Each structure stands twice: as C-alpha cells, then as structure tokens.
Amino acid sequence: MANSTLKFTERDLIRKPKPRNLWSKWGITLFLMALPTVVYIFIFHYMPLEGLIISFKDYNSFQGMWGSPWTDMGGFKHFVTFVTAPNFWTLIKNTLVLSALSIIFNSTLPIIYALFLNEVRYKWAKKTVQIIMYAPYFISTVVMVGILFILFRADTGVLTRILVAFGMDSTSAMSNPKAFVAIYIISGLWQGLGWWSIVYMGSLANVDPNLHDAAKIDGAGRLRRIFSVNFPSIVPLAVIMLIMSIGNILNVGFEKVYLMYTPGNSVSSEIISTYVYRISFPDYGQPQFSYATAIGLFNSVINIIVLVTANFISKKVSDNSLW
Amino acid sequence: MKKNSILTTALLCGVTFAAVSCGGAGGSYDPENFLPHGTEENPYQIVKDPITIEIFAPHSSGQPEYKDLKMFKQLSKLTNLNFTFTTPDTSAYPNRRAAVWEDRNYKPDLFLFNNPISEQVQYAENHFDALVPFNDPNYADSTGNIGSLIDNYMPTYKTLLDNNFNLPSTQENAKETATVSDGKMYCTLSVKDVARDLTYKMFINNVWVKNVHDSFPESYAAKHGIDDATKILTIDDYVGVLTDFNTYDANNNGRNNDEIGVSSKAFEFFRNFILQGYGYVNAAPELEADGSKFTYVPKTEAYRNYLKVANSMWKNGLMDRSSPENKTDSQMATNGKRLGSFVAAAPYLITGQNEDPNNLKEDGSKWRYDLEYVTVNPLLSSEYNGPRIHYGFGYFKPDGACIPTASKYKREVARLIDIMYSKVGTELIAYGVEGEDWTWDDEAKTSWTFNVPEDWTGNQEEYRGTITPNVGSASALYWSNEFVGKMNDEVITTINRQSEGYVPYLKTPEPAKYKFTSKEYQEISTIKASLDGQITYYETTFIKGDTMDPNSDKDWNDYLSTIDRFNAGRLEEIYNTMLARYK
C-alpha cells in the first residue's frame, strides 16, 4: 500500500484537469477579453495610418487622399521643406531641451520623493503630504498657465515682486526666453510630482519585508536600506518608465507650451508641435495638411529610432528593456 | 431555426437602413415646388411645400444652437424652408470646412459665413466641380439649365453689386473682390460699412488731457495748446501728452507715476497706430500708397522709427509693462482706470463702468468712465508728412455664402441668400424682427431702439446672441450702416461718431481684390508660420531694449539678416509677383 503511494510523481500531483472544450484549450476566453482593446487599437491607431500617404502628396480635399497629386522630389517635398526650413534646428533644439530636461527631472525627482515619503512613519502625515502633492495634478493646463501669468504679471504679480526684491526686472518672466524653460519644468513638477510618484509608492509597498529584516540583521541603517533595498526594487520599473519617456522625446506636451507662448519668449517656446499647429491652423491661407503630416511623420520616425536605441542600450547595460 | 431568424432580422435591418439612407440622400427634386418670385401674399416665400436646407456654418462656444436662434426661425417662417445645421466650433472651422469634401455622403446645401478665399482659388484653378459659380450664365446641372444665379434669382444682391453696395466713395470694388481667376464668383461677399467695425480705435483719456493742460503751464499740452485730445496731431504730441500724464498726476489722486501712458495687446494695435505716423499701417506686406508695389514693412526704416519711439516710451515708463503678455481685453483691463490710452472696440471694455451708487450724474444716471475717452487722430511725424492714414479692415470680403454643386436646391438657396441681403434680411441678421426685437423711434425712421427684455440678466450683446449668429464668430452678410447706424444707444452712437473720424483715412494694407494662386497661398502660409514669430520676438526685444537696441545699426542689421534668412525677401517677392498679374 505504501509502495503504491510512492509511485505518484510530482507531475502527477500538479497535473491539471483535462480541458473540457476547445474554448478553454485555446484560451479563447482570454482572446475575447482582449478583443475590444485589439479592435480599438486597430481602428484608432492602425486604420488612420492610411492618412500618412498625404505627407507624400499635395493634398487637397476636393480630390481626396488618394486622388491628390504626388509632390515633387519623389514625394519627399514636404520633408525637404521642413528640414531646410530656417527654424528647423531651432525647433529641434527647443523640443529636445524641453523634452530632455522634462525626462531628467520628471523621472528622477518622483523616485527620490517616493523613496523619502515611504519612510514617513506616521500614516496621517504621509497621507496628508501625498494629497497636498498630487492635488495640483487635477488642475487643468489652461488654468495652470493662467495662474502662472497672474503670478508673473509685470509689476503686480506675486512672484514678479519677489524677483524684483532680488534685483530683477519688473517685467513678466513669461516673456523672457531664458526663464521659459525653468518655468515650464518647475511648474510641471509642482503639478505632477505627487502624481508621478504614485506608481513608485505602489512598487515600494510591495518590497518584501524579509529583505528589510535581513538588512537590519546585517546592521544596515535606514539610509542604507533605502539605497540597498528599496531603490534596487524600483529600478526595473524606473528603467521601463524612462525608456517609454525617451520614446516620446520629440512629443513635448503641445497645449502647455502653446498656452505659455508670448512674443517675448517665442525663440524658446516654439517647438515642433506648436509649429505643426501653426501650419495646420494658419492665419493666412488654407490648412496645410500635407506639410503638417510630413512633420508629424518625421517626428514619429525620430521617436521610434530613439526608443529602439534606448531600449537596446538599456538591455545591454541593465538587463531591463521593453522587449 | 433560431440562427435563421437572427440572420433574417439582421438582413431586414440592413435593407431597411440602406433604403432609408438612399432615400435621404437621393430623393427626387420637384422643380414645380420652387417659387422664383414668391407669392402675392408673401414675396419671400421660396417653396410651396417645405423642404429642408442643410446649412454648414461656424459656431462660437457660448452661442445658442443655431436651430434655436430667432433669425433662422423667422427666415423659416418667411420662406417656408426648414433648416438643419452642422456647426463646427470656430477654432476647428477651417479644418472641418476642408474635410467636408472628403466625406462623400455629407452634402450641405449652403456654406454660410467664413468661406476661405484660398479654397475658392484652388477650386477655380483646378476646375473641381464643387461650388456653384453664382455669375455663370451657362451653368447647368441635373435639375436643368440654371444659368446665372445672380441674374435669375438674386435681384437684390445683383443691384447691390452693380451699385458697389452704395459705397461710391470707396476705392474698393465689390465685383472685383468677389471674382476669382477664372472670372467666376463662387462666394457672395460679406460687407460691412458701419464705421465702428471698419477699423480699430485708439482711445485717450480726454479728462486727463484737459487736467494737465489747464493746471500745468509748463506741461507739453499747455505749451503746445493741446487743451483737447483732438488737437493731438503728431507722434511727438502723443508721446508728449502721455509723458504729461505721468509727470503731472493727470488723475489727480496725489500720486505721480501711477498713470500708465498706453497699453496694448502684444503691441499689435499700438504698433499699427504708431506706424501710421511713418507711412504704413501694419507689420506685414503692405501696398504702397501709389499702388506700385508691396513692401514688407518690418524691413523698412519706418518700422525702425516705430521701434525707436516704442523703445523710448518703454524706457520712460509710458507703456504698460504687461503689454508683451496681454492677449485679451480683460488682461489689459487689469490696469483699466490707470490707463491714459489704449486700443479697444469700446472704452468700457477696458475701463469698466462706475458701479458706485453714490457717484451719479445730475440727472440721476450712473457716471460712465468710458465716456471720458475720445479717439486719437491718425498721426504724422517729422519723418512722414504725407496723407494721414489709418488701418482699415476693408468693406468687402469674399467669404459670405457658397452653394455646393451637390445641393439639389441651388435656386432655392440662391433666393434664400438674396433675402439675407435684402432690407428685411439685413435687419433680421443684425437685430432680429422689427416690432418685436427692435422698434422705430419715430415715423421718419431716423433711429430705432433694441428691445432687450427687462428681466434679461446678461448684457445687450448676449441677448442679441439669442437672435442671430452674428454675435461671436459669424459675420452678418451685409452689416449695413443704413440700418445699424441708426441704433439709438448712447454708447454705440458715441463710438460710431468717433469711429467716423477715421473713415476718410482708412487704408487696407492688402486689398481683398488681390488674390494669390493656391501655390502662393501655400508658400506664404509656410513662410509666415516661422517668420511672424521672429518679427514679434524681435519687436519685443527691441522695445524692451535689454539685448537689442533699435538705435544700434549693428543690432538692426543683425535683425534684417535674420528675417531675410526667414524668407522675408521671398515673401515680398510673392506679393509683388501677384500684383504684377493685376497690372
């Protein structure tokens, strides 16, 4: 009797019941669950790709996407027009500066903030700080920029008065091209820091307490545990987030930059997406759909190249990657 | 069995849907239903039995739905037409307007308001069969030979066109403005001849001018005999008086320097106002006074002179330091009562009104701050002593109403458009129904009063917005002074009277009769997308004077080479190439 019991292998013990029908065998239920998303992605992200054709054409709405004539230069006229435009390098520089600084600050500061907030012992204090920090995220961009204009209003703005007290000019910093980037980044952090840190807070909550116990036994202090236990546990997440941000390096948020635009800061605040807007909604003449699409396509191709490169480097260096 | 019944039901639904769709799009046209001259009882009736006209028109946020506007309800009653509307928001209008042609199933009968001229040009060049030419005597479609819509069905519009809309003194020509390169008119004109809507107005506080003149013999105003703002004739006078405001406590509040000489929205209108003292009216290509060529004004010494004046005013504290960021009237109004002068549609938009119940006039009515303001004359300078000029928007624009060729109801829509240009139509679009929304004050019909209900809590314009789309984005097709100018309203009458002072000097920098080719429109649009940003940036930089000085030849030459790199020269060349085609 005992011998016969010993004949069961481990495989026998974990063997699952046989699938009762094809639905479960092929996992069709799972496919059905994914179907709405697949359909959504297909309809709204793949089907519109057809429209990219107009970046190679001189589109006019009377003849439509397929009937409009191809452009000169083998269909690349609009791309050539863009890369030879006098403000091309200014647009690229402004976009990259805003994007790179946003990535640097928006990726690192939420991590630091989350690591330290995680160490607050009193739950009520932690919750209070969290709410205060992520509440600004719910202010709309339009209102947010409106607040900035009021704070920096010439002569009377609160922040202008503080700057004047430090010997600065009483004109608004909103029309200073040198101040534009700083205002953009700092106001963005004020608005988003709490929100962006939520994902890291969630990750830190899942850190195995045994690791902390083991580190304590080994004599690690609080700071050491932050850097040697908590930080490594969120690095993979941080890397994925970073790679995804880098994949959007030329996609700086259009609306905030556009709203912050003033004639005085235009040399810093004109980026690719605001330029596309001006082309698409010109004061003069008709919308230039083909040219705007060409710039958008150019933008996307650069983003893909940067994304693949960043992913490749990350895989080589840290073993963390999107694919 | 169950499967079969599901399939049958689906099939039936499909067939029914298809039948309904086809029926809606392709129902037959009954020519007998059309009344070319109305009926004896109702000359405005267009059809015997009601038909539905689909209208595509821009719509401003905050405006009521067009179907709820009294104007369309009344038009429906008069004409026996029903209306349905597609009304994209004004900001998205150009794109939605262009995309209409992509949607082969959507067939509006009328494009009303804001029709882009560049589209008409593109249409004419390529002979796309999309818009009906109003003046083509040979025009025919599936419903028969229609001929010239203007000659056959639009008698009011034809008479107005033939008489240049009763504006004999203007240089502008209505027919030329409406006609594109193939000699056809694909869109009717939108016409304005009400003085207050023909230009912007620079206001100045006349009470301050008088205070300074009467109280301070050493002031510029006193020394130059400027006891009234109408005596300001040169840029030196204007700057001198603004300097007086600051120096001599013009508002009598015991504090010098709390007055702000002038405020502006991003310098735009201030710039145009000062520039006219040097012979131009805007910072863009502008037709020379003799019509010989277009000049790109930001390249000229006149523009540099403007920058010098503005820079000096900025340095001397005469300008609102918020000007570079001001984007709206309400932002300018932050400093409203401290302003010596400003550009606005009406002063009260900037200064507000005195809401203090104790501060009443002798007759018991409230004192209005804004009535203290008068318009400043077009200026001259020591560098320019030619005829006085002032920016004019132009009387005519070829963007009124278009009829797509896909419409079955071309003749009906043509009559509808014609009614909109008639006396009844213009009154209706402007202020609603006679006897209900407005009433004549006397039998001689010299003035009329707009009847805003007593329980209406908003302002007058907001109430007008419940009647007509003309409030906000849409222009009236014919905003006629013959009617609008007779409105009995203290503020509006004052603004009209003041604006009339500018009318003899109006100069439209780019007259609407000149049209580019579609390729030229495209190139101009591309150049301006980057060049305009440079112009406004350098303008702000020169005026503030932190990093560039308009008095420095080096800075000026650097600026010129930069804007040339941004194709300023090419822009001027395109304008002059276009002009050459008209000679």
Side-chain angles (χ1 to χ4, degrees):
Chain A
M1 200 57 187
N3 281 345
S4 67
T5 310
L6 287 173
K7 279 180 188 169
F8 284 109
T9 62
E10 192 182 353
R11 192 178 165 189
D12 292 326
L13 287 170
I14 61 167
R15 191 172 62 193
K16 289 175 185 165
K18 261 189 170 179
R20 277 180 296 176
N21 53 39
L22 287 173
W23 280 77
S24 3
K25 187 183 175 185
W26 292 343
I28 287 178
T29 318
L30 295 176
F31 277 115
L32 282 178
M33 284 172 69
L35 190 62
T37 313
V38 172
V39 169
Y40 167 79
I41 300 272
F42 179 74
I43 292 175
F44 292 105
H45 292 259
Y46 279 86
M47 283 176 63
L49 290 180
E50 174 199 23
L52 290 176
I53 189 82
I54 68 169
S55 60
F56 303 98
K57 292 189 159 209
D58 273 329
Y59 170 80
N60 70 73
S61 49
F62 296 107
Q63 292 176 295
M65 280 197 296
W66 296 99
S68 297
W70 297 96
T71 67
D72 307 335
M73 302 179 193
F76 284 88
K77 183 184 91 175
H78 298 301
F79 296 93
V80 174
T81 305
F82 180 54
V83 297
T84 55
N87 57 343
F88 173 74
W89 288 111
T90 310
L91 292 173
I92 296 286
K93 187 194 87 182
N94 289 346
T95 308
L96 282 177
V97 166
L98 270 192
S99 188
L101 290 175
S102 297
I103 289 172
I104 290 168
F105 286 105
N106 299 354
S107 301
T108 53
L109 293 183
I111 295 173
I112 295 168
Y113 165 72
L115 286 171
F116 284 96
L117 187 66
N118 191 51
E119 296 303 313
V120 176
R121 289 180 185 178
Y122 300 105
K123 208 173 173 183
W124 62 267
K126 197 169 168 177
K127 289 279 175 201
T128 309
V129 171
Q130 257 186 312
I131 289 169
I132 291 171
M133 289 300 285
Y134 72 61
Y137 183 79
F138 297 101
I139 299 173
S140 80
T141 309
V142 176
V143 174
M144 170 73 192
V145 175
I147 292 171
L148 288 176
F149 272 102
I150 292 168
L151 290 175
F152 284 108
R153 191 166 174 80
D155 294 328
T156 53
V158 175
L159 292 178
T160 303
R161 285 180 176 222
I162 293 171
L163 292 173
V164 169
F166 284 96
M168 311 275 280
D169 186 22
S170 67
T171 51
S172 173
M174 296 299 282
S175 62
N176 183 343
K178 288 176 189 158
F180 173 80
V181 176
I183 295 172
Y184 179 88
I185 300 288
I186 293 169
S187 61
L189 281 171
W190 173 70
Q191 195 173 15
L193 185 65
W195 185 260
W196 298 324
S197 68
I198 287 175
V199 64
Y200 297 112
M201 292 296 290
S203 182
L204 286 169
N206 290 328
V207 174
D208 187 351
N210 291 330
L211 291 174
H212 279 281
D213 293 340
K216 277 182 198 167
I217 292 167
D218 288 345
R222 202 159 183 186
L223 209 57
R224 167 57 62 193
R225 278 187 284 121
I226 290 175
F227 289 108
S228 300
V229 178
N230 285 349
F231 182 65
S233 70
I234 59 172
V235 162
L237 177 65
V239 170
I240 297 293
M241 301 283 280
L242 182 66
I243 294 171
M244 288 171 70
S245 308
I246 289 173
N248 280 318
I249 196 155
L250 291 185
N251 286 349
V252 182
F254 154 79
E255 81 184 327
K256 188 174 171 189
V257 177
Y258 185 75
L259 289 165
M260 286 177 66
Y261 174 93
T262 67
N265 68 25
S266 60
V267 287
S268 298
S269 63
E270 187 75 307
I271 59 173
I272 293 175
S273 52
T274 55
Y275 182 65
V276 168
Y277 181 84
R278 276 178 232 291
I279 291 290
S280 305
F281 296 92
D283 295 333
Y284 205 97
Q286 276 192 279
Q288 292 194 55
F289 295 112
S290 289
Y291 187 39
T293 308
I295 299 170
L297 181 58
F298 172 86
N299 212 5
S300 300
V301 169
I302 299 291
N303 278 336
I304 290 171
I305 292 169
V306 174
L307 175 69
V308 172
T309 310
N311 194 61
F312 176 78
I313 294 169
S314 172
K315 199 171 184 177
K316 287 281 175 200
V317 174
S318 71
D319 272 349
N320 290 306
S321 64
L322 286 175
W323 64 84
Chain B
M1 184 67 188
K2 193 179 174 187
K3 200 182 269 181
N4 281 346
S5 56
I6 292 171
L7 276 173
T8 313
T9 313
L11 202 61
L12 276 174
C13 287
V15 169
T16 312
F17 178 74
V20 168
S21 308
C22 291
S28 60
Y29 174 72
D30 175 12
E32 299 302 316
N33 193 37
F34 176 56
L35 299 169
H37 308 292
T39 61
E40 268 186 35
E41 303 80 49
N42 178 10
Y44 300 107
Q45 191 171 337
I46 295 176
V47 285
K48 291 175 197 161
D49 298 319
I51 57 167
T52 301
I53 300 296
E54 164 69 21
I55 297 178
F56 188 94
H59 181 265
S60 293
S61 56
Q63 239 179 339
E65 293 292 319
Y66 279 12
K67 66 180 169 54
D68 298 326
L69 295 179
K70 196 167 182 180
M71 169 199 140
F72 287 113
K73 287 179 180 172
Q74 183 69 12
L75 269 180
S76 189
K77 209 185 290 181
L78 286 174
T79 59
N80 209 19
L81 298 174
N82 294 326
F83 302 114
T84 55
F85 298 92
T86 301
T87 53
D89 189 75
T90 312
S91 59
Y93 186 73
N95 280 355
R96 286 289 304 277
R97 180 73 176 68
V100 162
W101 307 113
E102 275 284 356
D103 185 347
R104 306 297 174 207
N105 297 315
Y106 176 65
K107 294 182 172 70
D109 298 295
L110 170 62
F111 289 121
L112 195 56
F113 313 128
N114 300 11
N115 292 290
I117 178 64
S118 51
E119 184 187 86
Q120 297 164 49
V121 166
Q122 193 179 43
Y123 172 83
E125 283 172 4
N126 296 285
H127 309 291
F128 298 131
D129 186 27
L131 295 171
V132 178
F134 282 95
N135 61 333
D136 183 353
N138 303 314
Y139 187 75
D141 75 350
S142 57
T143 61
N145 193 338
I146 292 175
S148 162
L149 289 172
I150 291 179
D151 288 340
N152 298 336
Y153 308 107
M154 302 173 73
T156 309
Y157 186 68
K158 181 178 163 53
T159 309
L160 287 168
L161 266 186
D162 289 343
N163 295 321
N164 210 36
F165 281 80
N166 306 316
L167 294 166
S169 60
T170 178
Q171 302 272 319
E172 295 177 44
N173 184 304
K175 279 186 181 170
E176 283 178 4
T177 306
T179 309
V180 291
S181 57
D182 61 357
K184 292 173 185 165
M185 300 175 185
Y186 296 104
C187 191
T188 63
L189 293 168
S190 61
V191 183
K192 284 181 180 178
D193 66 347
V194 180
R196 69 174 187 270
D197 295 307
L198 289 173
T199 183
Y200 60 85
K201 298 152 288 267
M202 174 65 87
F203 291 98
I204 190 164
N205 191 322
N206 205 20
V207 175
W208 289 9
V209 175
K210 288 172 179 169
N211 281 351
V212 169
H213 174 271
D214 296 346
S215 312
F216 301 96
E218 69 282 18
S219 66
Y220 182 96
K223 283 182 184 167
H224 293 81
I226 300 173
D227 57 356
D228 187 281
T230 53
K231 293 187 178 169
I232 297 171
L233 297 173
T234 65
I235 288 177
D236 286 345
D237 288 347
Y238 178 66
V239 175
V241 167
L242 297 191
T243 309
D244 284 348
F245 288 170
N246 264 12
T247 313
Y248 300 106
D249 185 23
N251 60 3
N252 278 331
N253 68 352
R255 292 196 298 273
N256 284 359
N257 291 325
D258 70 330
E259 296 84 357
I260 298 172
V262 60
S263 186
S264 177
K265 277 188 279 189
F267 299 126
E268 186 183 350
F269 295 114
F270 166 76
R271 168 214 305 147
N272 295 349
F273 181 72
I274 297 294
L275 259 177
Q276 65 194 20
Y278 297 106
Y280 293 103
V281 296
N282 84 145
E286 181 169 331
L287 190 65
E288 291 288 345
D290 59 3
S292 60
K293 62 169 185 166
F294 275 95
T295 301
Y296 187 58
V297 177
K299 287 170 62 176
T300 61
E301 275 301 310
Y303 186 77
R304 188 180 180 185
N305 286 330
Y306 143 69
L307 291 174
K308 286 178 185 173
V309 170
N311 171 263
S312 149
M313 290 173 72
W314 181 273
K315 281 197 290 200
N316 294 322
L318 301 182
M319 290 185 76
D320 181 358
R321 295 175 93 74
S322 302
S323 293
E325 295 84 54
N326 282 341
K327 294 177 181 176
T328 62
D329 277 351
S330 59
Q331 285 171 324
M332 274 167 67
T334 311
N335 292 321
K337 295 179 187 68
R338 296 168 60 203
L339 297 179
S341 73
F342 50 82
V343 171
Y348 66 88
L349 298 171
I350 305 299
T351 63
Q353 297 179 29
N354 190 353
E355 296 301 331
D356 181 355
N358 298 316
N359 192 0
L360 300 175
K361 287 196 280 188
E362 284 175 7
D363 62 1
S365 60
K366 280 182 183 172
W367 181 255
R368 296 179 60 104
Y369 286 136
D370 60 286
L371 294 179
E372 300 172 1
Y373 289 80
V374 300
T375 45
V376 186
N377 293 309
L379 305 177
L380 296 176
S381 67
S382 50
E383 284 80 6
Y384 173 74
N385 207 18
R388 291 177 196 278
I389 50 175
H390 191 75
Y391 191 104
F393 302 140
Y395 291 94
F396 309 123
K397 282 201 169 55
D399 63 356
C402 300
I403 305 177
T405 48
S407 171
K408 286 182 295 186
Y409 304 118
K410 299 177 185 74
R411 299 183 303 170
E412 290 80 352
V413 174
R415 274 211 68 204
L416 172 68
I417 295 170
D418 195 54
I419 289 170
M420 290 192 200
Y421 284 91
S422 71
K423 185 172 169 296
V424 166
T426 51
E427 290 169 0
L428 196 54
I429 296 182
Y431 282 90
V433 183
E434 181 184 352
E436 293 179 23
D437 302 309
W438 58 273
T439 41
W440 289 109
D441 298 328
D442 50 19
E443 285 196 4
K445 297 188 175 180
T446 54
S447 71
W448 53 267
T449 301
F450 188 39
N451 303 324
V452 181
E454 281 184 9
D455 59 350
W456 180 256
T457 52
N459 65 35
Q460 185 171 284
E461 269 306 87
E462 284 165 351
Y463 179 68
R464 200 165 74 88
T466 65
I467 297 171
T468 166
N470 180 225
V471 178
S473 57
S475 56
L477 291 182
Y478 185 17
W479 185 243
S480 161
N481 194 45
E482 176 66 24
F483 172 67
V484 178
K486 291 178 178 171
M487 185 180 185
N488 179 8
D489 180 288
E490 185 190 8
V491 178
I492 288 181
T493 308
T494 307
I495 295 169
N496 260 353
R497 183 173 35 77
Q498 293 180 335
S499 306
E500 276 161 11
Y502 284 128
V503 171
Y505 309 111
L506 294 183
K507 179 188 180 193
T508 307
E510 189 187 327
K513 73 172 182 179
Y514 294 122
K515 295 165 193 86
F516 297 92
T517 63
S518 51
K519 278 201 168 167
E520 287 168 343
Y521 275 120
Q522 208 173 53
E523 193 176 354
I524 291 171
S525 170
T526 307
I527 292 173
K528 284 172 78 70
S530 49
L531 178 62
D532 286 358
Q534 295 297 313
I535 297 298
T536 50
Y537 167 71
Y538 278 104
E539 179 182 39
T540 309
T541 310
F542 274 128
I543 292 175
K544 288 165 76 177
D546 300 333
T547 51
M548 296 192 89
D549 181 358
N551 297 295
S552 154
D553 287 342
K554 182 189 173 301
D555 288 350
W556 178 251
N557 290 332
D558 285 349
Y559 156 77
L560 287 181
S561 64
T562 302
I563 63 167
D564 254 344
R565 200 162 50 79
F566 278 77
N567 295 316
R570 173 66 189 144
L571 184 66
E572 195 176 69
E573 189 184 321
I574 296 170
Y575 271 77
N576 284 313
T577 306
M578 176 275 293
L579 185 65
R581 288 199 295 270
Y582 284 83
K583 287 187 172 171

